[in-house]
Amino acid sequence: MKAFRRFTVRVPLPDRIADLAPLSHNLRWAWHTPTQELFATIDPRLWSSTGDPVRVLADTDPTRLVELADDEGFVARVAEAHADLEQYLDAPQWFQRYAAESSGQDGSAHDRVVPPGIAYFSMEFGVSEVLPIYSGGLGILAGDHLKAASDLGLPLIGVGLLYRSGYFRQGLDHDGWQIERYPVNDPADLPLTLLTPGDGAEPVIVEVAMPGGATLSAQVWVASVGRIPLLLLDSDIDRNDDEPEGAALRAVTDRLYGGDQEHRIAQEILLGIGGVRALREYVRITGRPEPTVFHMNEGHAGFLGVERIRELVAGGLDFDTAEAVVRASNVFTTHTPVPAGIDRFPADLVARYLDADSDGKSRLLPGLAAATVAELGDEADPGVFNMAHMGFRLGQRSNGVSQLHGAVSREMFADLWPGFDAADVPIGAVTNGVHGPTWVAPAWRDFADGDEDSAPEVYAGLSDETIWRTHEELRAELVDEVRRRALASGLDRGFTHAELAWTADLFDPHVLTIGFARRAATYKRLTLMLRDPDRMRTILTDPDRPVQLVIAGKAHPADEGGKSLIQQVVRFTEEPELRDRIVFLPDYDISMARFIYAGCDVWLNNPVRPMEACGTSGMKSALNGGLNLSILDGWWDEMADGDNGWAIPSAEGITDEHRRDDLEAQALYTLLEETVIPLFYRRADDGVPSRWVEMMRHTLTRLGPQVLASRMVRDYTTDLYCPAARAYESACADSYAGARDLAVYRRTLETGWSSVLVAGVEDERREDGLWITAHVALGDLAPESVAVQVVLGRVGDDGEILAPTFTDMTPGPDRDASGRVVFTALVPPSASGHLGYTVRVLPRHPQLSSESELGFVRFPATTG
Ligand SMILES: *Cc1c(COP(=O)(O)O)cnc(C)c1O
């Protein structure tokens, strides 16, 4: 019988262990081993089956809790864990020191502004497996961002959606075809608190207008991720039933990436617009400082920008000034170089949601012209609204997620800055990182007592033997986990225990273990390793130097191609001679990921370069001493150093993708056969592969610190959040004088830039260098409000200036006969060889983050 309705009864905890409640409720336990051990003590079996403190407390027999309340040792551990949590939540951290430094309190003078609050919006957050509101890399990254922000003491607030079914749980049918299950999350069973204005008060409800006069309502849950509040909007409430199409409104937050475009746009509107409204309520209720910096984690969050503009317009600003304020303080991060991965909507769908009234004003964003908002998503294709374009247009600062991805993004979005070379497109890069305390196995973390900063030095001092044995234990744990999961998966697929007896000896704890776990997106090439199945078979089953391979990953429910790749892999793993050496584990998530990263010797990644924006799984492996075997894509492109793993050569020039796959697969096999496998099995008398261990040590000490989320969040703070906070301050000062000035300036550029001309350019070589003169027509612009520059450098065969230097030109006092301003510069000869130069005019304004920001540039009519 199925339950008609479900409900939860909570037995109050005995007083002496009552602090277990806050310990279960703050997700900090997810990266605090002593707290995890505390919950494991309560009921080891419940803990290992759920990994969830809230469930452990709810499902443990009350008599057991009474018994524990009498156990002095246990009571002391609860008190200690609770004291540790309190101290963690309050103690000044890196951010507080950085802020003190910035304000000159420590005696040093800095010209920095630190934000009093930062809002971080994301469609998904992967904080813990108990809160399944993530699908993969993007969500885990957002989760790691919050955790590191908490550790560093940032005043950050996360904003997202609470999906009733989250992302799907993956199973396999008898034939190895992916099946999707959508377990329902009951918020009562999750570590969440409903946002209310006070105890016993009605929950806060956020409203967003929907087409046709309907109203979408959502309540707001708050999760505590250490010291970071994470606000999650939830539309599954009775109030929506009163609306026409109420069921659809309720269902807006039913699933992550589950519906059609209509469903998705409603989600993104709720996230961006509803999210800002929820944030305002939260700040009002808690008295926290208002965030001045807003971070859009991918284009999904782009609507937050227009909602912020709406607020300012409602407060009396004109659109342009409001836009200048919002741009100054928005940070936009793009996450994909795959065009299909960019979030785009049909323009007419967006228009329907913007819902213009007879005056052209949007009902979704009262006070704003629907057409003006629609333009923010313009792209080359006129029928499309591009969320990434809106993100770039409404974020004065933007970045890709690795150095290579920054460069690829500058190319990919160069259209937004016409006239600029890709190199000058103002998109920067902050390379992703992963949260150490979450992803470093306790066995490694314990060496340095959990102190990330001293870990490299401590690892450097460990003996080869210690490093190797530590890793071997983690590999053995992985083997146990593989067996357990393979059996469970086999049973789930309908095989019998008898048929699955072999899983008891699946894998060998002493064999070279390679991991490959990632979404089954085409560019990630799940099946590249099967390109030559015979060769792979030989590698896996070598009697003397065998290899075992653990594979995991979900395909998007609508991606039949991805599912068929998974099936191909599953079928390969079922060959009788291979099944002990290669396994596909369904339902890749955080709980599985931890075992694989910690236990594998080698982490394999073979995307089609440069489609992997960053990739983070290899970083997690590296933090546990795993060696990466990867195409030079994403983070690996900048961090591979020859001693921390191996680069699979990529055949990028080859346009025939089959041939490219063949070549890269062969390169992979050859690396395995000739380099990786021999090195792993080259043992001294004590059984330790010393050269291998040397590479592990190098990885732990040198690569480890670079791939941490704490490094990433510090980079965001110093390079983006603080400059944005400063820009916001100067935009808002003196009743928005700065923003107003910039808005007026921008309008002047928009109307007057067409009159800007570089008319005559002359040069003269003298003793002291090259004197260059340019006659520049400026229309209504003053000479101080533009930058006129000489761009000089070697010239390539095609006439392109390579690696140019830029020299500002100085305006003369007089104008020429045609009213043009005469600019001059002396450029000292910097190089020999074939040189060339040109002159360019750019906007210049103190409120701009860069001269290319607004996309205006003018060159001489013909460059010779
Ligand atoms: C780290 C992680 C990912 C992302 O890995 P990529 O290398 O970026 O593909 C996806 N899923 C889980 C469960 C992870 O832990």
Side-chain angles (χ1 to χ4, degrees):
M1 273 172 283
K2 281 208 162 186
F4 167 66
R5 185 168 287 150
R6 294 193 266 191
F7 59 95
T8 309
V9 179
R10 295 243 182 280
V11 181
L13 286 166
D15 275 354
R16 299 183 74 210
I17 56 170
D19 286 340
L20 284 172
L23 284 166
S24 71
H25 234 73
N26 192 312
L27 284 158
R28 196 247 182 167
W29 66 258
W31 67 100
H32 192 247
T33 319
T35 310
Q36 293 168 16
E37 287 164 354
L38 199 59
F39 285 99
T41 306
I42 298 176
D43 187 333
R45 203 188 38 80
L46 251 181
W47 173 257
S48 69
S49 64
T50 65
D52 182 348
V54 171
R55 290 282 299 281
V56 167
L57 292 187
D59 294 352
T60 298
D61 190 340
T63 54
R64 166 73 180 148
L65 295 174
V66 170
E67 184 186 301
L68 284 166
D70 280 337
D71 175 342
E72 295 305 326
F74 186 79
V75 171
R77 280 171 66 199
V78 173
E80 192 181 332
H82 188 246
D84 184 88
L85 176 63
E86 300 267 282
Q87 130 91 19
Y88 174 83
L89 297 178
D90 288 338
Q93 297 296 349
W94 172 81
F95 184 83
Q96 285 66 38
R97 294 193 290 279
Y98 187 74
E101 223 177 77
S102 310
S103 65
Q105 279 173 27
D106 69 346
S108 52
H110 287 280
D111 203 15
R112 249 185 237 145
V113 173
V114 300
I118 303 146
Y120 180 93
F121 282 56
S122 178
M123 190 79 165
E124 41 171 324
F125 285 94
V127 175
S128 157
E129 55 269 40
V130 306
L131 195 57
I133 54 170
Y134 63 93
S135 82
L138 181 72
I140 308 244
L141 177 83
D144 281 4
H145 196 101
L146 299 193
K147 292 173 185 174
S150 172
D151 294 344
L152 295 170
L154 262 69
L156 189 131
I157 301 175
V159 181
L161 302 178
L162 180 72
Y163 306 97
R164 279 300 157 113
S165 296
Y167 199 55
F168 72 94
R169 305 288 305 263
Q170 180 192 46
L172 295 174
D173 71 8
H174 206 271
D175 296 327
W177 191 255
Q178 169 176 300
I179 42 183
E180 294 101 31
R181 301 193 179 103
Y182 291 90
V184 176
N185 300 317
D186 181 350
D189 294 335
L190 299 173
L192 300 173
T193 313
L194 204 50
L195 182 64
T196 64
D199 277 346
E202 287 295 306
V204 166
I205 299 289
V206 166
E207 293 184 340
V208 178
M210 289 283 114
T215 300
L216 168 64
S217 301
Q219 57 189 7
V220 184
W221 297 94
V222 186
S224 298
V225 183
R227 50 212 279 172
I228 306 297
L230 169 58
L231 313 184
L232 298 170
L233 285 84
D234 169 12
S235 69
D236 190 10
I237 53 175
D238 293 344
R239 197 191 240 257
N240 282 321
D241 293 340
D242 303 338
E243 297 287 317
E245 312 267 355
L249 296 180
R250 247 186 198 273
V252 166
T253 55
D254 60 352
R255 289 173 187 186
L256 172 60
Y257 306 142
D260 54 11
Q261 293 272 56
E262 183 99 25
H263 185 249
R264 175 71 82 88
I265 197 173
Q267 288 187 330
E268 296 188 9
I269 285 172
L270 183 62
L271 172 65
I273 299 176
V276 172
R277 294 175 187 172
L279 180 72
R280 299 302 184 207
E281 286 294 323
Y282 178 78
V283 164
R284 193 177 56 74
I285 291 168
T286 57
R288 280 182 175 244
E290 285 284 356
T292 58
V293 173
F294 285 69
H295 189 166
M296 300 174 262
N297 187 44
E298 193 47 289
H300 312 132
F303 284 111
L304 76 82
V306 280
E307 168 64 5
R308 293 187 62 209
I309 294 176
R310 185 204 62 78
E311 292 179 326
L312 291 164
V313 168
L317 291 192
D318 62 278
F319 184 94
D320 292 352
T321 305
E323 187 186 21
V325 172
V326 168
R327 292 185 77 253
S329 47
N330 272 357
V331 173
F332 174 60
T333 302
T334 174
H335 284 271
T336 177
V338 184
I342 301 285
D343 208 11
R344 297 154 87 234
F345 292 111
D348 51 5
L349 179 68
V350 176
R352 192 150 58 73
Y353 276 82
L354 290 174
D355 198 6
D357 64 16
S358 55
D359 293 333
K361 295 285 190 198
S362 167
R363 291 193 181 88
L364 175 64
L365 294 154
L368 304 191
T372 311
V373 176
E375 270 173 30
L376 291 167
D378 277 356
E379 61 154 48
D381 186 340
V384 170
F385 185 94
N386 186 314
M387 292 296 287
H389 285 205
M390 177 159 72
F392 284 116
R393 291 197 176 105
L394 292 182
Q396 198 173 39
R397 288 167 184 78
S398 59
N399 68 293
V401 290
S402 66
Q403 297 303 320
L404 178 62
H405 179 234
V408 171
S409 301
R410 289 190 282 276
E411 298 266 356
M412 185 166 164
F413 295 107
D415 284 359
L416 286 170
W417 290 271
F420 286 90
D421 289 351
D424 293 330
V425 165
I427 301 175
V430 176
T431 304
N432 286 343
V434 298
H435 185 241
T438 298
W439 297 111
V440 179
W444 290 113
R445 232 185 305 141
D446 287 349
F447 284 119
D449 258 345
D451 176 16
E452 246 172 44
D453 297 335
S454 66
E457 207 180 314
V458 173
Y459 293 144
L462 297 179
S463 72
D464 284 10
E465 171 86 19
T466 305
I467 290 185
W468 188 242
R469 298 293 167 233
T470 304
H471 174 63
E472 291 225 287
E473 273 169 35
L474 292 165
R475 192 193 308 114
E477 281 176 29
L478 169 62
V479 169
D480 285 344
E481 184 72 7
V482 164
R483 290 173 180 167
R484 195 180 69 72
R485 286 187 184 252
L487 173 64
S489 157
L491 292 171
D492 185 49
R493 292 174 62 191
F495 295 97
T496 62
H497 272 281
E499 286 169 299
L500 294 166
W502 62 275
T503 57
D505 320 302
L506 165 66
F507 273 33
D508 178 331
H510 303 293
V511 163
L512 170 57
T513 306
I514 302 180
F516 185 99
R518 48 188 47 86
R519 281 184 300 120
T522 316
Y523 75 88
K524 294 190 184 243
R525 295 191 296 193
L526 181 63
T527 52
L528 189 75
M529 62 183 96
L530 304 185
R531 203 77 198 158
D532 182 345
D534 288 334
R535 199 161 165 192
M536 194 66 209
R537 213 172 270 129
T538 309
I539 291 173
L540 293 168
T541 56
D542 185 297
D544 301 321
R545 301 185 308 188
V547 172
Q548 57 200 12
L549 189 52
V550 48
I551 306 170
K554 296 176 176 178
H556 185 275
D559 179 10
E560 300 290 307
K563 291 185 204 176
S564 115
L565 295 181
I566 289 174
Q567 187 177 44
Q568 234 175 296
V569 171
V570 173
R571 293 215 166 128
F572 188 72
T573 66
E574 285 170 344
E575 294 185 17
E577 55 164 339
L578 290 180
R579 68 181 189 188
D580 288 342
R581 289 281 175 259
I582 177 168
V583 68
F584 180 89
L585 300 181
D587 206 26
Y588 180 41
D589 74 347
I590 293 177
S591 69
M592 180 200 298
R594 251 197 299 272
F595 282 96
I596 321 195
Y597 300 135
C600 283
D601 301 286
V602 171
W603 195 253
L604 175 62
N605 190 18
N606 49 34
V608 178
R609 188 179 193 269
M611 300 292 209
E612 183 86 283
C614 179
T616 50
S617 52
M619 296 178 161
K620 300 174 205 165
S621 169
L623 281 180
N624 291 284
L627 303 181
N628 277 268
L629 171 59
S630 171
I631 298 276
L632 282 177
D633 200 5
W635 73 283
W636 188 235
D637 184 63
E638 74 202 66
M639 294 192 191
D641 69 2
D643 290 321
N644 50 18
W646 302 273
I648 305 169
S650 44
E652 246 168 304
I654 311 270
T655 43
D656 173 351
E657 59 185 79
H658 294 287
R659 203 168 127 59
R660 178 171 171 174
D661 286 355
D662 279 337
L663 290 171
E664 297 186 6
Q666 284 160 19
L668 165 62
Y669 298 136
T670 304
L671 259 174
L672 282 171
E673 292 160 349
E674 294 179 3
T675 311
V676 179
I677 299 170
L679 198 68
F680 181 87
Y681 285 107
R682 190 186 304 152
R683 304 297 169 96
D685 291 344
D686 58 1
V688 176
S690 54
R691 171 63 190 141
W692 189 280
V693 172
E694 207 178 299
M695 291 178 75
M696 286 181 70
R697 189 197 311 278
H698 178 75
T699 299
L700 290 165
T701 55
R702 304 294 285 279
L703 181 54
Q706 299 179 65
V707 298
L708 289 171
S710 50
R711 189 272 307 145
M712 165 181 77
V713 171
R714 279 193 207 112
D715 286 352
Y716 272 107
T717 305
T718 56
D719 300 354
L720 295 161
Y721 297 159
C722 288
R726 184 187 174 74
Y728 179 78
E729 258 190 20
S730 53
C732 298
D734 301 328
S735 320
Y736 302 105
R740 232 179 279 276
D741 193 47
L742 178 58
V744 170
Y745 178 65
R746 190 171 176 186
R747 274 276 170 248
T748 316
L749 294 175
E750 273 158 11
T751 54
W753 194 253
S754 54
S755 352
V756 173
L757 290 173
V758 184
V761 179
E762 293 127 36
D763 57 69
E764 188 186 338
R765 251 172 283 178
R766 295 197 202 147
E767 283 288 273
D768 50 354
L770 189 64
W771 280 92
I772 298 173
T773 312
H775 296 248
V776 183
L778 289 175
D780 293 336
L781 289 162
E784 315 73 72
S785 58
V786 293
V788 181
Q789 297 174 330
V790 177
V791 183
L792 173 88
R794 282 178 200 280
V795 175
D797 292 340
D798 55 358
E800 282 295 309
I801 302 176
L802 310 168
T805 59
F806 302 94
T807 309
D808 271 346
M809 303 184 79
T810 317
D814 305 319
R815 303 208 167 205
D816 70 10
S818 319
R820 299 177 185 126
V821 182
V822 183
F823 286 79
T824 51
L826 166 64
V827 188
S830 57
S832 53
H834 292 291
L835 301 183
Y837 77 89
T838 187
V839 169
R840 67 175 187 179
V841 188
L842 299 162
R844 176 166 283 174
H845 190 278
Q847 310 279 336
L848 292 178
S849 67
S850 76
E851 282 148 355
S852 52
E853 184 188 314
L854 296 176
F856 292 99
V857 64
R858 184 73 74 213
F859 294 99
T862 51
T863 316

